[in-house]
Amino acid sequence: EHALALLRKLAGGGSVPYLAPASGTRYQLAAQTEATNVANLGSALSDVAAIKTIGKALATSRPLAVLGLRASSGLATQFSYFAAKVHPDIRRIGDGGSLIEDQLEQVQAAGATMLLAFVMPLYPQEAIKALRYAQQLNLKTAVVSDPTFTKQGAIADFLVCAGFSSNLVFDSSAASTVLVSILLAAMSDAMPEPAEARLEQGDQ
């Protein structure tokens, strides 16, 4: 229920108005749009219980599968890199084709209960198929995407959305990058063993 509430808040956007610069370049406009996206995300993240629910689901999946294809690979790589410092078994899935199904079967056989997927526009069909296949394997799915993801015909157990900017040649997704850090924090808070102790041990 909390997760669905979070979905409604994030998918519906926030209440922060967009104010374009009175004068400026398209680069300033792009930066302002992203600033607004981040502000809207901040307004939507008031349901701490929902965030904790997602964090616990990520923390208790051993291993935890993380999917990110094409334009989403950077977000998935960033999450996986830092998550591996506190989570004992992160399985990054970044290759396309039928190999994805093999990897999902392997993590499910190893005890995984959760797939975290970063699916940003233009929504690769391989990613949508991977989500459906994960659910066939009885894996819960958490998806980080933008609000229009709901039109792709894929259903996620947890859906966390943030706006993106298409003002420039290539899309930018600053708010989704913030979500990476938020999910990392929520997962770390829910770890059975203290995450800070693992981080300090790694630093030493």
Side-chain angles (χ1 to χ4, degrees):
E1 181 179 354
H2 285 303
L4 291 177
L6 181 62
L7 163 61
R8 286 194 293 269
K9 289 181 180 180
L10 295 184
S15 59
V16 179
Y18 170 67
L19 299 176
S23 61
T25 68
R26 66 188 182 112
Y27 307 119
Q28 290 175 308
L29 178 62
Q32 179 63 50
T33 300
E34 283 291 47
T36 301
N37 287 337
V38 173
N40 287 337
L41 176 64
S43 297
L45 289 173
S46 60
D47 192 343
V48 177
I51 300 170
K52 287 184 175 181
T53 298
I54 298 174
K56 183 178 180 180
L58 298 176
T60 55
S61 181
R62 307 291 177 91
L64 171 61
V66 182
L67 173 71
L69 305 177
R70 303 177 188 265
S72 305
S73 62
L75 293 169
T77 298
Q78 181 182 355
F79 179 92
S80 299
Y81 173 79
F82 289 108
K85 294 181 179 295
V86 295
H87 193 292
D89 197 351
I90 297 293
R91 307 283 181 93
R92 169 86 168 84
I93 301 176
D95 298 319
S98 60
L99 181 60
I100 294 179
E101 294 185 359
D102 293 339
Q103 291 174 310
L104 288 174
E105 290 173 358
Q106 290 167 5
V107 296
Q108 190 270 343
T113 56
M114 172 67 65
L115 168 67
L116 172 62
F118 293 87
V119 188
M120 303 303 294
L122 296 168
Y123 318 108
Q125 284 299 312
E126 292 167 316
I128 304 301
K129 291 178 181 178
L131 289 170
R132 292 171 178 161
Y133 191 66
Q135 291 175 329
Q136 291 179 24
L137 296 175
N138 293 320
L139 292 172
K140 296 289 186 181
T141 56
V143 175
V144 175
S145 189
D146 78 299
T148 61
F149 174 81
T150 55
K151 300 178 182 179
Q152 303 308 309
I155 299 175
D157 295 287
F158 304 99
L159 177 59
V160 188
C161 295
F164 70 101
S165 172
S166 58
N167 295 73
L168 302 176
V169 177
F170 297 103
D171 295 340
S172 58
S173 53
S176 296
T177 302
V178 174
L179 272 177
V180 168
S181 295
I182 289 171
L183 291 176
L184 285 167
M187 183 189 73
S188 298
D189 291 343
M191 298 296 289
E193 61 277 2
E196 290 185 6
R198 290 179 61 89
L199 283 173
E200 290 176 2
Q201 183 179 4
D203 289 341
Q204 292 174 0

